[in-house]
Amino acid sequence: MKTITTLAAALLFTAAHTAYADGASRLDKIRESGAIVIGHPESSVPFSYLDASQKPIGYTVEICQEIAKAVQASLKLPKLEVRYNPTTSATRIPLLNNGTIDLECGNTTNLPDRHKLVSFAPTTFVAQVVLMARKDAGVDPNNPATFRGKAIAAQAGGQTFRLISEINAKNNYGIQVIGAKDTGETFLMVQSGRAAGSANDDGLAYGSVASSKSPDDFIIGTKGLQLAPYGIMEPKDDPAFKKVVDDAVIELMKSGKVAAIYEKYFNSPIPPRGINLKYPMSDALKRALAHPTDSGDPAAYE
């Protein structure tokens, strides 16, 4: 009898799980809880980082805050609490898929192979992967060959780590690619001399250098190794939630709100230290805002 009861319970659990997977949306979870959870990195200036009071701020965080307002309006909720949960390149996809976070709002590259696990909102930034180094390291950040036999730091589990590893293997440079947990740790490895340079997206590289105590000690490459479109990550196979989020992002683009947020974080003094990246919007991003797409193909942004 015990075996039958256990089997029946298991079948009921499976049926309930299947029904949820087939019919429920992240919108249902948000409606029931009265809260939306934004996942965010903590040191990805200017996309997602902490201000002086340890509050998440940044270009992508602010876009997601606007999305939260659209979700609230779509669900006709009198109030929607916005909660925050830190993420890293290693945790962001698992936390999204297990329901801990509802959106991942940082600097995640929209890659075709990631579409097997998650969905992406229309692209809100188009980066170029570049090398950065100390000026006294004896290397040229525009020439990976000059890093032969040296170390390059990159975020573990991220596209930049994979890219520099592929370049290293293809050309037999003998570079030691060191994995870091986030952008902040990647920069510290270069700053401390543990690595001769770092591989990172240009926006993050400029943010890290500008935020340092001695920006003039570093040089950032101008030769891009690869285009990297950024998108806010969404749960996979949830068309209802994706439509609300995507529609909100597209409306923000059409209204000029995304461009205004860009100016705030890339061409104006930003907290907590009032640094100004002075980083004009690229032609690739202008095209992406004028013609919204969630494509993970870098060629779509050329």
Side-chain angles (χ1 to χ4, degrees):
M1 184 68 179
K2 182 178 180 181
T3 302
I4 295 173
T5 303
T6 302
L7 177 60
L11 290 172
L12 284 171
F13 173 81
T14 301
H17 179 77
T18 302
Y20 181 84
D22 290 343
S25 166
R26 196 64 63 101
L27 292 173
D28 299 306
K29 168 184 173 289
I30 293 169
R31 180 186 291 108
E32 292 169 7
S33 66
I36 186 169
V37 184
I38 291 175
H40 64 94
E42 295 183 305
S43 62
S44 294
V45 179
F47 300 94
S48 174
Y49 63 105
L50 303 178
D51 65 11
S53 61
Q54 301 301 292
K55 175 185 175 183
I57 59 173
Y59 172 70
T60 317
V61 169
E62 197 156 318
I63 291 173
C64 280
Q65 290 168 345
E66 294 296 323
I67 292 172
K69 295 176 184 177
V71 171
Q72 179 182 351
S74 175
L75 295 176
K76 296 180 173 58
L77 296 175
K79 181 181 179 182
L80 180 65
E81 180 184 0
V82 179
R83 299 173 184 168
Y84 299 92
N85 194 98
T87 59
T88 66
S89 56
T91 64
R92 56 194 175 190
I93 290 178
L95 290 176
L96 183 66
N97 286 340
N98 70 19
T100 301
I101 62 176
D102 299 308
L103 294 169
E104 196 276 331
C105 305
N107 52 284
T108 301
T109 302
N110 181 346
L111 298 171
D113 62 351
R114 286 179 174 158
H115 288 217
K116 301 172 185 176
L117 302 171
V118 298
S119 291
F120 285 87
T123 295
T124 45
F125 189 80
V126 183
Q128 286 196 97
V129 179
V130 295
L131 296 176
M132 182 274 290
R134 290 183 61 93
K135 289 181 178 177
D136 60 7
V139 295
D140 178 2
N142 285 313
N143 185 1
T146 63
F147 288 82
R148 189 182 298 273
K150 300 181 184 292
I152 290 179
Q155 285 192 63
Q159 170 63 5
T160 51
F161 186 95
R162 290 195 290 271
L163 177 61
I164 199 63
S165 297
E166 290 169 0
I167 292 173
N168 179 40
K170 180 180 179 181
N171 296 282
N172 296 312
Y173 288 146
I175 296 170
Q176 179 188 4
V177 185
I178 306 175
K181 70 175 182 178
D182 57 23
T183 301
E185 186 173 81
T186 301
F187 182 78
L188 285 174
M189 287 183 179
V190 180
Q191 189 177 46
S192 66
R194 184 179 172 188
S198 67
N200 219 327
D201 297 338
D202 51 0
L204 295 170
Y206 277 91
S208 296
V209 169
S211 300
S212 70
K213 294 180 179 179
S214 52
D216 291 340
D217 290 348
F218 305 91
I219 183 169
I220 300 170
T222 56
K223 182 179 179 181
L225 303 176
Q226 186 181 73
L227 280 178
Y230 288 0
I232 294 162
M233 277 202 301
E234 311 160 322
K236 184 175 173 58
D237 298 328
D238 192 337
F241 185 57
K242 180 172 176 55
K243 178 172 173 48
V244 172
V245 173
D246 289 10
D247 285 353
V249 172
I250 291 171
E251 179 56 33
L252 291 169
M253 291 175 175
K254 290 181 177 179
S255 69
K257 183 70 175 180
V258 169
I261 297 173
Y262 183 96
E263 287 299 307
K264 176 179 177 179
Y265 284 98
F266 287 88
N267 288 308
S268 305
I270 57 174
R273 293 176 51 209
I275 63 170
N276 187 337
L277 273 62
K278 298 180 181 178
Y279 195 74
M281 186 181 292
S282 68
D283 289 340
L285 180 53
K286 289 177 182 177
R287 289 192 293 270
L289 298 186
H291 307 283
T293 176
D294 62 359
S295 174
D297 182 3
Y301 302 92
E302 294 177 351

